[in-house]
Amino acid sequence: MKYAVLVYETPSDFSERVDALKSETYWAGYSAYGAALAEGGVGAGGTALMPPGDQTVTIRHTDGKRVIQDGPYSDTKEQLGGLFLIDVGSLHEAIEWAAKCPGAFTGAVEIRPVLEM
Amino acid sequence: MDKQRDVIEQSVLSAYPRAMSQLLARGARLVDAEDALAFAREQALLQWDSSAIPELPAAWLYRVAMNNWIDSLRKASRLNGDLDMELIETDSLFQELPEERLRLMFLCVQPVVPRDMRVPLILQVGFGLSADRIASLFLDSPLAMRKRLTRVKSALQQNQVSLELPSESVLSQQLSEVLDALYGLYAIGWEDDIGAESGLWEHSAEALHLSRVVAAGFESAEAMGLCALIGFMESRRAARRSADGVYIPLDEQDIGLWKLDLIEESEIWLRRASELNTVGRYQLEAAIQSAHVIGRFRNEVDWTILDHLYEQLYRLNSSLGVYVAAVAVKRKLLGAEVAMEMLDRLSDQQRSTFLAAVAVRAHCQRDLGDLDGARKTFARALALSSDRGLREYFKTLMN
């Protein structure tokens, strides 16, 4: 079964990414995690996202009218920072992997089953 | 206010198992007993004052729950007239087991309960933990855990095991299941940092206590072995994490923080077990602990003895975990190259994703002077840890 591990990061996570002192540790954590998923035979893709910023817009059509707003869809402290796709045997196994994601220690991770088409 | 609630919650929790087993002993079905106790717990939170908790909290809970249960039986017309306590009083062996919680443990290790659900069931029925909290401990979804607990309880119900009491021979057959469950219960509060945060060490303390009851009550070498094993582990509790929760390996612990009385007690259990002349998993694991402890006291670990013990243990329990622990001893005894060769015999996936194997490999690389490789492998170990204290420890090794 495929699951998406959605990584919600805090503002300080996002700033660590580009911090001169902390960025190396930050990225080393994620690259080791990604490599562990791959070698564990469960990694099935994924991507990191830029933090919400001036290239982030939200679009919707309401009452026949198109509305484009600056900023992310949800105005919460933690924001989607990226996602991993994993292919595992059960939800339990997905939770075991997600519990090791660096983001689970600083922000939060959400697991969602992938809709197979 | 919250503090007051905590105090009350705490005494309700510690009275819970006693009240639960009393209800079961009066013939309540497990699900009914749980409902009734949930009601009693609510009442306690409403009525108790933290400065004036009833002198016998378990008796109070039991009384309220009992009334609630009888009310519900009356409503369901399953009961006419007065309840004849004597008639449904259960008898014999369950009653003779000295500890209520132990009775519950025997209930929870019935064959109809799948092995992986036994400790969760004990935590819920014996300790009143919510399914949500149990799910967090066992890395499962709360919904799935709730369903599985419900299924297990109804299976117990259908088999009427809450009332059927095992014969003595069944009881001693079940002893090894109880030992496994006790060890599982202890490990919950030991393995990870969740324990420190949520007060689960109390459950560990309870597991130690119960293992003493079992070791004293049954002439079983494995029961004594388990008691020694848990005692050794518990003796180091204060030394195994730094003040900020970072994991400290045994050979770097401050032995001034070890509890000597527990170590002595464990040595005695271990000696008594060996007098029974049967070897088992828990005895061997306790003997391994003992060798490590003595090694620290003498400042010289006897790796030959440890190697021998692990070989015996692997013969009884050929698990990946035991194999890797044995490799770690080989590294000390014969060097990193031999250990690396042994790790190479594992499958690629085991070698790269089984945390203990990864950690041992990193140490071997460091021994062999491959510092860059070691750093990368420690980073992998970090990526495979879901324990915060262990992650911090691997971080320090990466530098």
Side-chain angles (χ1 to χ4, degrees), chain B residues 203-220:
Chain B
H203 303 166
S204 292
E206 186 67 20
L208 172 64
H209 170 64
L210 290 178
S211 76
R212 283 181 180 135
V213 173
V214 175
F218 293 83
E219 195 67 0
S220 149

Side-chain angles (χ1 to χ4, degrees), chain B residues 64-332:
Chain B
V64 173
M66 189 72 189
N67 287 336
N68 177 266
W69 174 49
I70 291 173
D71 275 355
S72 67
L73 285 183
R74 288 215 174 91
K75 271 183 208 142
S77 312
R78 296 216 301 259
L79 187 75
N80 298 310
D82 284 337
L83 192 63
D84 188 343
M85 288 296 177
E86 296 311 312
L87 279 180
I88 57 166
E89 187 84 41
T90 50
D91 57 338
S92 76
L93 287 163
F94 255 168
Q95 306 286 4
E96 283 165 24
L97 285 178
E99 297 284 327
E100 280 90 352
R101 262 183 236 206
L102 204 53
R103 274 189 244 168
L104 286 172
M105 305 225 35
F106 274 98
L107 172 70
C108 294
V109 300
Q110 297 297 312
V112 294
V113 183
R115 270 168 210 285
D116 62 344
M117 285 305 290
R118 289 176 183 176
V119 177
L121 186 65
I122 289 163
L123 288 172
Q124 179 157 73
V125 175
F127 293 86
L129 246 64
S130 73
D132 290 19
R133 206 156 150 225
I134 296 169
S136 299
L137 294 170
F138 287 85
L139 290 168
D140 218 328
S141 89
L143 183 67
M145 185 54 81
R146 270 197 296 277
K147 279 189 187 157
R148 288 162 74 202
L149 281 166
T150 307
R151 204 179 307 136
V152 162
K153 279 186 266 182
S154 86
L156 271 175
Q157 213 57 68
Q158 275 163 16
N159 286 269
Q160 297 192 321
V161 277
S162 66
L163 296 177
E164 294 294 318
L165 300 173
S167 68
E168 200 155 355
S169 69
V170 173
L171 212 59
S172 60
Q173 267 174 30
Q174 282 178 351
L175 183 61
S176 76
E177 310 288 346
V178 168
L179 297 183
D180 290 347
L182 276 174
Y183 188 58
L185 182 65
Y186 182 77
I188 272 287
W190 169 261
E191 263 170 14
D192 51 28
D193 62 338
I194 301 173
E197 284 166 23
S198 58
L200 277 178
W201 58 271
E202 274 189 22
H203 303 166
S204 292
E206 186 67 20
L208 172 64
H209 170 64
L210 290 178
S211 76
R212 283 181 180 135
V213 173
V214 175
F218 293 83
E219 195 67 0
S220 149
E222 274 299 84
M224 294 174 189
L226 177 69
C227 190
L229 173 61
I230 292 181
F232 278 125
M233 292 171 79
E234 186 64 20
S235 73
R236 302 197 301 270
R237 178 176 294 279
R240 61 187 289 273
R241 300 271 172 173
S242 72
D244 37 12
V246 183
Y247 168 82
I248 304 173
L250 196 147
D251 57 352
E252 290 168 24
Q253 288 173 10
D254 173 4
I255 58 177
L257 295 172
W258 289 2
K259 281 191 182 160
L260 296 182
D261 52 343
L262 261 178
I263 292 173
E264 276 166 19
E265 181 193 330
S266 299
E267 292 289 353
I268 292 168
W269 283 119
L270 195 54
R271 203 173 321 130
R272 280 189 56 188
S274 70
E275 284 162 6
L276 296 174
N277 286 318
T278 56
V279 176
R281 177 201 158 185
Y282 291 122
Q283 275 182 87
L284 286 170
E285 290 195 37
I288 287 167
Q289 295 275 331
S290 167
H292 276 297
V293 166
I294 291 169
R296 276 302 311 274
F297 282 128
R298 291 197 185 143
N299 236 335
E300 189 184 1
V301 181
D302 189 338
W303 296 107
T304 310
I305 283 189
L306 280 164
D307 186 46
H308 177 64
L309 289 169
Y310 269 113
E311 259 171 37
Q312 284 192 70
L313 182 59
Y314 191 70
R315 239 174 276 144
L316 287 180
N317 173 18
S318 307
S319 70
L320 184 55
V322 173
Y323 182 82
V324 173
V327 173
V329 171
K330 293 279 189 205
R331 168 184 160 240
K332 294 284 193 179

Side-chain angles (χ1 to χ4, degrees), chain B residues 7-23:
Chain B
V7 172
I8 296 173
E9 277 275 15
Q10 202 50 51
S11 52
V12 168
L13 273 186
S14 54
Y16 188 94
R18 189 173 289 258
M20 168 62 90
S21 14
Q22 291 295 333
L23 281 169

Side-chain angles (χ1 to χ4, degrees), chain A residues 32-33 35-36 39-41 91-92 95-97 99-102 105, chain B residues 138-141 349 352-353 379-380 383-388 391 395:
Chain A
Y33 180 66
E39 283 183 47
L91 175 60
H92 172 63
I95 295 175
E96 281 184 326
W97 280 108
K100 297 165 184 166
C101 177
F105 292 87
Chain B
F138 287 85
L139 290 168
D140 218 328
S141 89
Q349 194 170 338
S352 55
T353 59
R380 164 62 56 84
L384 292 168
S385 308
S386 47
D387 173 326
R388 193 185 289 274
R391 290 172 79 92
K395 253 181 221 170

Side-chain angles (χ1 to χ4, degrees), chain A:
Chain A
M1 284 181 285
K2 270 196 190 144
Y3 290 89
V5 177
L6 309 173
V7 186
Y8 289 89
E9 299 193 270
T10 61
S12 88
D13 291 331
F14 283 117
S15 62
E16 273 187 30
R17 292 177 170 196
V18 290
D19 186 290
L21 293 172
K22 294 175 180 165
S23 71
E24 199 183 336
T25 314
Y26 174 94
W27 291 111
Y30 274 101
S31 90
Y33 180 66
L37 290 177
E39 283 183 47
V42 299
T47 189
L49 300 174
M50 296 288 284
D54 57 13
Q55 303 234 13
T56 307
V57 289
T58 304
I59 305 158
R60 51 160 74 80
H61 288 88
T62 6
D63 303 329
K65 212 172 82 184
R66 181 172 58 223
V67 181
I68 300 184
Q69 286 172 316
D70 282 322
Y73 167 66
S74 69
D75 188 20
T76 48
K77 192 174 126 249
E78 280 133 357
Q79 288 288 337
L80 189 60
L83 62 95
F84 294 92
L85 291 171
I86 56 174
D87 199 347
V88 293
S90 64
L91 175 60
H92 172 63
E93 217 181 301
I95 295 175
E96 281 184 326
W97 280 108
K100 297 165 184 166
C101 177
F105 292 87
T106 49
V109 297
E110 178 179 332
I111 298 174
R112 294 272 288 270
V114 168
L115 178 63
E116 307 273 6
M117 303 292 261

